Amino acid sequence: TSALVTGEAITVVARKVNDPRFDALITRFRGGAGMSILLRDDPKFLTKVRDALAQNRVVALLIDQDSRGGGVFVPFFGRPAHSPPGAAILALRTKAPVVSV
């Protein structure tokens, strides 16, 4: 279901894909679904996330890849998976609710 269908204003936090052609394809799909995209490597990333939340946008953190840096290992389908703390930290700092899907 696209953001256009649900009526929700969605901001997606993602990283740029290494292959420029694949990155362009994903960006086009997300934009076509009515999503705005924030790159997590953007120096103003946190400010932009806070701005999106202040505008009552849904902020989706796409955590489908192992990430570097701090975090904890949690069981995921019986195997330990590295889980970054970003969503929890964001929720604590902004009082925004977190929903895992």
Side-chain angles (χ1 to χ4, degrees):
T1 305
S2 77
L4 298 173
V5 172
T6 65
E8 298 296 328
I10 298 176
T11 297
V12 177
V13 175
R15 72 170 182 82
K16 190 171 182 112
V17 177
N18 293 334
D19 181 322
R21 293 172 299 160
F22 190 53
D23 185 66
L25 178 69
I26 291 172
T27 299
R28 191 169 63 247
F29 283 158
R30 289 175 180 155
M35 300 176 195
S36 64
I37 303 164
L38 293 180
L39 295 176
R40 71 176 192 208
D41 295 333
D42 183 333
K44 296 182 180 181
F45 160 75
L46 188 54
T47 299
K48 291 180 179 182
V49 169
R50 286 183 179 155
D51 290 347
L53 290 171
Q55 296 168 11
N56 289 324
R57 296 182 67 85
V58 172
V59 176
L61 304 176
L62 304 179
I63 306 172
D64 61 350
Q65 299 173 348
D66 195 10
S67 62
R68 296 174 182 87
V72 296
F73 282 90
V74 296
F76 183 72
F77 292 109
R79 298 179 65 188
H82 184 259
S83 298
I89 292 169
L90 186 62
L92 290 170
R93 290 184 181 170
T94 65
K95 306 295 185 219
V98 173
V99 179
S100 297
V101 294

